[in-house]
Amino acid sequence: MRLFRFRSRKAVRSCPPFLRVTLFALLLLAIHPSSVSPAKPLGDQEVGFSFESVVARALGLAVAPYEDSKGQVPDFLLNMDYDAWRDIRFRPQKSLWRGEALPFELQFFHPGLYYDRSVSVNVVDQGRVGRLGFDTDMFDYGRNEFANDIPASMGFAGFRVHFPVNRADYKDEFLVFLGASYLRAVPKGQYYGLSARGLAVDTASPKGEEFPWFREFWIVKPKPQDTELTIYALLDSPSVTGAYRYVAKPGVSTEMEVSSVLFLRKPVEKLGIAPLTSMYFFGENSRPEGVDDFRPEVHDSDGLQIQFSSGEWLFRPLKNPKNLAISAFEAESVRGFGLLQRDRDFGSFQDLEAHYHQRPNLWIEPRGDWGSGRLELVEIPTPNEMNDNIVAYWSPARMPKPGVPMSFDYVMRWQGEAESHAPAGHAISTRAGQGSRTGSRLFVVDFKGGALESLAADAPVMAVISVDEGAKLLEQQVMRNQATGGWRLSFLVLPDASSALDKMLAERRSPVELRAFLQQGSDVLTETWSYSFKP
């Protein structure tokens, strides 16, 4: 089951701080299907380009047989090793719009190694589309000697966008589209961490996950005064096609307004909307057996946060489980969700190269009503930090028939430590260990923020704790934590007595779900902390 994206350790350590469907699209297909054939490029003469142009192409793809483009990249590029691929570098002087006194510049990635597809890149200037041709002169091939053997029509693997985010006199790299439908962005003062994707299909399914890919991009040329960049993308896969519009606004919080229209080619088991992908190796709540590492914690994100339409905020600390774990949260008209890196203390990581304490949060805020569905969190066992093993996404409860459009609009907010989503107190750490009673488990959760900050040490704060089937709550304690300025909840859980057979088959026992929050009288003081453990 291919559920993670490979992350070379060298890449982790040395990477730079890296709709609505209109009648037009439907009528176009009904009147003249060939006019939206995927075989027809938009070309240099297209005028009046718009999002509807991409929607029409996505619809055209959906009613045509799937065509892959893996054969466009020669085998000698796919068979190179990591160091050889890293030796191919884009020449900065060849950056798109270099020397035009524009706020944004683009640089491009070379196909090869893991990137076995090439993508087409177009520039939209005042509504007119021009194809950006691949050219080996754009790249320095270092010690590699195959530049003359590369097809001129191959295309790029992806691109990165530069803008003066951290200081006015230097254009920082702040956004990357590279591989399948992956993208990453950073806000001011942060380093690359977790990734987003255009779409997830059948994640954690027994039949295997399908990875849609962006096969073509259209980038709107900015004006000198612009502070945002618009990018259109055409998504394709054996099961789904889609049209996307990203409006990227770099800054203290890098925001991206996303519009998407999807079409099923054939029925799928599950769609993941606005999927997020991250890495959690170990932290204060879990450390894999046999891991001998000088660092106290290693992760890009440490929790999933959800804002429900009811007004409840929930936080689920991440884990590196022994077996694949899938958690689902019913979320009717979800208001927001994201993967967060709440721990911002360098002392928690002690890593001068990876800067895990400066990895961004990513918050998804739906626009409009997404309807019935659920948030899913997939946690995959990983033996190291080189694999992305955490996936989170929203999955709609109902699927339309093939060819019927689905629209999902949302805002992506890549944020640093200054931003906090939950208005009430929030969990800042989760720890667990052997309890004082035989077979029991002790959980210690620290909360901070909101009204908790102003409460006296003897305030009558109490915890509301729920323990699902499989265990029972024995005791609990809430007290002021003078060291953090917040409040600490400690409670003891005893798994139900099990038979000898259950003990022999411990891995088959269902995990126990825990939920807890703090309140004073009838006032809820914190978000809901949610966790699961194997007895």
Side-chain angles (χ1 to χ4, degrees):
M1 186 183 302
R2 182 174 158 232
L3 288 174
F4 1 36
R5 181 171 56 89
F6 182 83
R7 298 155 53 104
S8 133
R9 185 178 184 86
K10 186 179 293 185
V12 168
R13 293 306 188 88
S14 62
C15 263
F18 255 147
L19 193 123
R20 297 290 174 263
V21 65
T22 66
L23 288 175
F24 165 77
L26 298 175
L27 289 173
L28 185 58
L29 181 67
I31 297 171
H32 193 4
S34 64
S35 67
V36 290
S37 166
K40 178 186 176 184
L42 288 177
D44 291 346
Q45 302 305 312
E46 169 109 358
V47 294
F49 176 85
S50 67
F51 186 36
E52 285 73 16
S53 306
V54 188
V55 173
R57 285 177 62 83
L59 181 56
L61 286 174
V63 299
Y66 174 66
E67 295 181 6
D68 208 335
S69 70
K70 285 187 176 182
Q72 295 178 358
V73 181
D75 288 343
F76 66 83
L77 289 176
L78 301 178
N79 295 330
M80 72 172 77
D81 60 27
Y82 179 77
D83 289 332
W85 186 78
R86 287 276 293 174
D87 212 25
I88 304 174
R89 301 181 184 276
F90 187 84
R91 301 179 190 274
Q93 63 271 26
K94 298 289 187 177
S95 298
L96 183 63
W97 305 319
R98 174 66 62 97
E100 294 189 44
L102 297 178
F104 295 89
E105 290 183 2
L106 267 69
Q107 298 182 9
F108 300 90
F109 291 98
H110 200 286
L113 193 57
Y114 316 120
Y115 306 106
D116 56 359
R117 291 188 178 98
S118 62
V119 301
S120 300
V121 178
N122 305 279
V123 177
V124 182
D125 187 1
Q126 297 182 355
R128 183 178 295 275
V129 176
R131 177 67 52 84
L132 186 67
F134 175 86
D135 190 343
T136 55
D137 287 343
M138 294 179 173
F139 299 91
D140 180 347
Y141 287 86
R143 294 163 292 177
N144 297 303
E145 298 179 352
F146 45 62
N148 292 333
D149 299 324
I150 296 174
S153 60
M154 183 173 62
F156 304 100
F159 61 91
R160 53 187 174 231
V161 186
H162 295 245
F163 181 85
V165 178
N166 293 295
R167 65 178 206 246
D169 61 341
Y170 181 79
K171 291 185 174 70
D172 306 279
E173 177 188 327
F174 80 93
L175 173 61
V176 169
F177 283 84
L178 179 63
S181 64
Y182 283 96
L183 64 142
R184 292 197 294 174
V186 286
K188 182 177 182 179
Q190 299 286 299
Y191 290 78
Y192 281 127
L194 78 169
S195 302
R197 281 190 273 170
L199 188 69
V201 178
D202 291 339
T203 302
S205 167
K207 67 180 182 181
E209 182 170 4
E210 181 175 297
F211 288 84
W213 59 291
F214 286 139
R215 67 183 307 147
E216 189 163 7
F217 292 94
W218 295 263
I219 303 163
V220 179
K221 184 175 183 178
K223 297 179 177 61
Q225 70 275 16
D226 284 351
T227 57
E228 61 185 47
L229 184 70
T230 301
I231 299 167
Y232 299 90
L234 178 65
L235 180 134
D236 198 10
S237 82
S239 300
V240 189
T241 70
Y244 286 74
R245 177 174 56 206
Y246 295 92
V247 181
K249 306 174 184 180
V252 174
S253 171
T254 291
E255 295 191 359
M256 298 180 70
E257 297 179 359
V258 185
S259 298
S260 67
V261 178
L262 304 174
F263 300 93
L264 295 182
R265 260 200 179 99
K266 59 184 181 180
V268 300
E269 181 181 313
K270 178 173 56 179
L271 288 182
I273 307 301
L276 315 178
T277 304
S278 193
M279 181 275 294
Y280 186 92
F281 184 25
F282 61 87
E284 67 218 4
N285 61 326
S286 64
R287 193 179 187 95
E289 293 180 11
V291 172
D292 187 13
D293 198 306
F294 77 94
R295 298 167 296 177
E297 301 184 36
V298 176
H299 49 77
D300 285 334
S301 306
D302 55 15
L304 168 70
Q305 187 170 60
I306 307 171
Q307 182 186 13
F308 296 96
S309 57
S310 64
E312 179 187 20
W313 292 77
L314 179 144
F315 183 74
R316 178 86 159 194
L318 301 179
K319 302 190 301 295
N320 181 3
K322 292 183 179 180
N323 299 291
L324 176 70
I326 304 175
S327 304
F329 306 88
E330 294 300 318
E332 180 86 20
S333 304
V334 63
R335 291 186 182 176
F337 65 96
L339 290 175
L340 312 184
Q341 181 77 313
R342 278 194 170 166
D343 196 332
R344 297 286 176 169
D345 184 0
F346 170 77
S348 297
F349 302 97
Q350 293 293 332
D351 197 320
L352 291 171
E353 297 178 89
H355 299 275
Y356 285 120
H357 63 296
Q358 292 176 281
R359 300 295 174 104
N361 303 328
L362 178 49
W363 184 249
I364 304 297
E365 183 179 299
R367 292 285 175 88
D369 186 355
W370 283 9
S372 300
R374 66 187 182 277
L375 258 298
E376 285 196 0
L377 172 66
V378 180
E379 297 169 300
I380 308 163
T382 182
N384 52 52
E385 67 197 276
M386 302 177 196
N387 295 309
D388 280 346
N389 64 319
I390 304 295
V391 188
Y393 49 82
W394 185 84
S395 184
R398 292 178 294 275
M399 298 285 185
K401 295 180 180 180
V404 176
M406 297 175 284
S407 298
F408 298 98
D409 298 346
Y410 52 97
V411 178
M412 307 169 64
R413 292 193 171 91
W414 307 77
Q415 301 176 321
E417 98 179 280
E419 296 83 6
S420 177
H421 303 298
H426 54 274
I428 60 172
S429 66
T430 299
R431 293 176 172 85
Q434 183 177 330
S436 56
R437 300 194 191 183
T438 302
S440 66
R441 198 76 180 152
L442 175 66
F443 293 90
V444 180
V445 185
D446 278 304
F447 292 92
K448 188 179 180 181
L452 294 175
E453 305 280 335
S454 59
L455 294 179
D458 59 352
V461 177
M462 63 175 290
V464 177
I465 305 171
S466 62
V467 180
D468 280 358
E469 292 183 2
K472 59 182 178 181
L473 178 67
L474 294 182
E475 57 187 62
Q476 61 175 289
Q477 184 181 36
V478 179
M479 65 177 65
R480 181 77 171 179
N481 185 337
Q482 298 295 340
T484 65
W487 289 73
R488 170 168 288 188
L489 165 63
S490 304
F491 62 98
L492 207 60
V493 172
L494 180 66
D496 292 342
S498 57
S499 66
L501 179 60
D502 287 336
K503 292 178 180 178
M504 292 175 61
L505 303 176
E507 292 302 323
R508 294 191 178 184
R509 296 189 65 181
S510 298
V512 175
E513 288 288 332
L514 309 172
R515 291 167 64 93
F517 60 89
L518 302 184
Q519 69 179 33
Q520 182 181 27
S522 61
D523 295 330
V524 176
L525 300 173
T526 69
E527 66 189 6
T528 300
W529 170 88
S530 170
Y531 203 71
S532 71
F533 79 99
K534 279 271 194 177

